[in-house]
Amino acid sequence: MAISDNTRGLILAISSSLFIGTSFILKKKGLKRAAAAGTRAGVGGYAYLLEPLWWTGMISMIVGEVANFVAYIYAPAVLVTPLGVLSIIISAILAHFLLKERLQRLGVLGCISCIVGSVVIVIHAPQENMPASLEEIWILATQPAFLAYVAATLSMVLALILHFEPRYGQTNILVYLGICSLMGSFTIVSIKAIGIAIKLTLEGISQVAYPPTWFFLSVAVICVITQLNYLNKALDTFNTAIVSPIYYVMFTTMTIIASAIMFKDWAGQSVSDIVSAICGFITVLSGTVMLHVTREQEPVPLPGTVTWYDGDQIKAIEDGHYIMLHDSEYLDSYSVSTKN
């Protein structure tokens, strides 16, 4: 019995969520180990690059993203995109058991609101009109409306990196994830162009000699590296169960906006679809606010504190006290007698 394209896309999308959801936990545990051995990623450290557990999570995320990319070839976006919420559920469950991270009741409600709102947005989002050639994508990418979006987005990214990150990066989760999501919208557009180039090349029409092919490839590489850098900072600073849904919501939102502007998919949409999409945005915004208000931030050891990693816990000695740090809460603290 032959498997339909939609079934292939469904299997790939579910597999993608499993790998991506697991990658958040593996990378977080790797970041914790690296933080005990060097400078935290949240304050500019790169010790995690020497941590095997972080690389395991990185490979898991790459496999998941590749599976997600291939899923879009077989199934429509309306089927694949909503399944991204599975990675949030998987990440939250694993974080509960492996990282001992917990959400308050209002945070759980916020998480549900984010998921419901995102699904509503995706369901009522317009269908994409996929270009048939790389030249057509280049024409769409250089139209005035999309160039204005590019200019506005890059301006916001620069403002977040140069002004807001040094001041609010360690206290406001929207700074790091805002950078990831804004750059992510460029990533999706570039990957679509690369996908068309690969497809045409496999069909015998080589796209290697076309400058737009290498331009879109360069944009994709730069955006992916930027996303990974700031996603690592977000994971190292904030609760994983909160990073996952907020990142999903913001990334999905920016992707839909960029796609709508570039491909003009909103033309001809019914009033009910537009109203439903707006309601979805409001629901997402409400959920994001609830998650941000109820988040639990990890305690950051003060300068001069000696820390080390022991199993699933980060321990520290601070001002003559022995402290066990476990993600976002102190598990135990008692005095250690010292001798002169």
Side-chain angles (χ1 to χ4, degrees):
M1 182 178 179
I3 300 177
S4 66
D5 286 345
N6 273 7
T7 301
R8 290 192 181 96
L10 178 64
I11 294 173
L12 287 167
I14 294 175
S15 300
S16 170
S17 295
L18 287 171
F19 280 107
I20 293 175
T22 304
S23 73
F24 276 103
I25 306 304
L26 294 174
K27 290 173 67 177
K28 182 61 178 282
K29 290 179 74 68
L31 288 169
K32 286 172 60 181
R33 290 184 178 180
T39 306
R40 290 164 53 96
V43 293
Y46 294 95
Y48 61 85
L49 293 176
L50 301 176
E51 177 55 50
L53 194 58
W54 182 87
W55 281 108
T56 302
M58 188 71 257
I59 294 173
S60 178
M61 174 169 283
I62 292 174
V63 172
E65 293 295 349
V66 171
N68 191 59
F69 173 72
V70 178
Y72 280 102
I73 297 177
Y74 290 103
V78 70
L79 172 64
V80 177
T81 306
L83 292 177
V85 301
L86 292 177
S87 65
I88 300 174
I89 299 172
I90 293 167
S91 179
I93 293 175
L94 292 178
H96 176 79
F97 291 103
L98 300 179
L99 300 179
K100 307 302 180 185
E101 294 182 353
R102 296 177 178 83
L103 280 172
Q104 301 176 18
R105 292 181 179 179
L106 185 60
V108 174
L109 180 60
C111 183
I112 295 174
S113 297
C114 286
I115 295 173
V116 171
S118 296
V119 171
V120 171
I121 292 172
V122 171
I123 290 176
H124 293 279
Q127 295 293 327
E128 297 176 347
N129 298 316
M130 182 59 67
S133 67
L134 203 59
E135 289 79 4
E136 189 176 346
I137 279 215
W138 180 253
I139 292 174
L140 293 174
T142 54
Q143 61 184 316
F146 189 72
L147 289 177
Y149 169 80
V150 171
T153 301
L154 290 179
S155 298
M156 287 188 287
V157 169
L158 289 175
L160 286 171
I161 293 176
L162 299 178
H163 178 76
F164 290 97
E165 183 193 357
R167 295 170 175 81
Y168 310 109
Q170 293 292 306
T171 58
N172 193 323
I173 193 173
L174 298 181
V175 175
Y176 291 145
L177 296 187
I179 297 171
C180 291
S181 302
L182 290 168
M183 297 299 287
S185 64
F186 294 143
T187 303
I188 295 301
V189 171
S190 300
I191 286 178
K192 287 181 179 179
I194 295 170
I196 290 178
I198 293 175
K199 181 180 179 182
L200 292 175
T201 300
L202 292 177
E203 292 176 353
I205 307 175
S206 178
Q207 303 293 303
V208 176
Y210 287 95
T213 301
W214 297 102
F215 173 79
F216 285 119
L217 181 61
S218 300
V219 171
V221 170
I222 293 172
C223 291
V224 167
I225 291 175
T226 304
Q227 284 180 260
L228 291 176
N229 181 42
Y230 286 97
L231 181 58
N232 283 330
K233 291 186 177 183
L235 285 171
D236 190 53
T237 306
F238 302 99
N239 192 306
T240 307
I242 296 175
V243 171
S244 299
I246 293 181
Y247 179 54
Y248 168 78
V249 167
M250 296 180 68
F251 178 79
T252 302
T253 300
M254 295 309 304
T255 298
I256 291 176
I257 292 175
S259 180
I261 295 175
M262 183 171 178
F263 299 108
K264 294 183 172 64
D265 292 324
W266 289 105
Q269 286 295 109
S270 65
V271 176
S272 62
D273 281 336
I274 295 175
V275 172
S276 298
I278 293 175
C279 291
F281 275 105
I282 295 174
T283 304
V284 166
L285 179 60
S286 301
T288 303
V289 171
M290 284 187 287
L291 279 170
H292 186 58
V293 169
T294 60
R295 70 172 177 79
E296 294 180 357
Q297 184 176 352
E298 292 187 31
V300 179
L302 298 175
T305 301
V306 178
T307 62
W308 68 94
Y309 185 83
D310 182 13
D312 291 330
Q313 299 160 341
I314 294 180
K315 301 179 180 179
I317 293 180
E318 178 182 328
D319 295 334
H321 287 75
Y322 172 75
I323 304 170
M324 296 170 64
L325 304 179
H326 204 314
D327 281 341
S328 55
E329 59 186 14
Y330 288 94
L331 293 184
D332 193 15
S333 177
Y334 55 89
S335 298
V336 176
S337 60
T338 59
K339 296 180 181 180
N340 295 328

